Amino acid sequence: QLQLVESGGGLVQPGGSLRLRCTGSGFTLDDYIIGWFRQAPGKEREGVSCIRRSDGYTYYTVSVKGRFTISRDNDENTVYLQMNSLKPEDTGVYYCAAHRGPKTTVQAVCQPDWGYVEVWGQGTPVTVSS
């Protein structure tokens, strides 16, 4: 069974940092584009950042550029999201997701309404508050 498991969420003060982790089980992430999405209370889910495992090509939504970094560890079948300079508006449940498709663009996968995601994790909550 294909599964993605997230960890690393929590409560942090504004300006702080968190590192989210997404690990795949039941399949290898080699042929996949992996993304981080978030959903704040009362808002629609949005794509935060995505990475193509094969070449490390990345996409970031504008609001997190320069603050968040997505990376992969191919040996551990894991993708990370390093979040620095966190703001209250970064609060939400963060989901890891995967799409397998060699011809799909990374940016396309990061648009949740476009329907490219095939596997979702259960989510990990992030709260940025003083």
Side-chain angles (χ1 to χ4, degrees), residues 42-99:
K43 294 188 177 181
E44 294 186 351
R45 191 171 297 187
E46 66 169 335
V48 175
S49 181
C50 292
I51 186 169
R52 185 160 52 216
R53 287 267 304 189
S54 60
D55 60 9
Y57 191 86
T58 59
Y59 164 84
Y60 296 91
T61 193
V62 171
S63 63
V64 307
K65 280 185 178 179
R67 301 188 297 122
F68 291 11
T69 303
I70 192 170
S71 62
R72 79 236 196 258
D73 185 329
N74 292 350
D75 291 338
E76 294 190 359
N77 214 34
T78 297
V79 171
Y80 298 95
L81 185 68
Q82 178 66 43
M83 305 187 295
N84 298 329
S85 302
L86 282 161
K87 304 175 181 180
E89 51 264 42
D90 294 317
T91 294
V93 178
Y94 282 68
Y95 299 89
C96 179
H99 165 79

Side-chain angles (χ1 to χ4, degrees), residues 17-30:
S17 298
L18 283 174
R19 189 190 195 200
L20 304 184
R21 176 186 176 122
C22 170
T23 301
S25 64
F27 68 114
T28 60
L29 300 178
D30 290 351

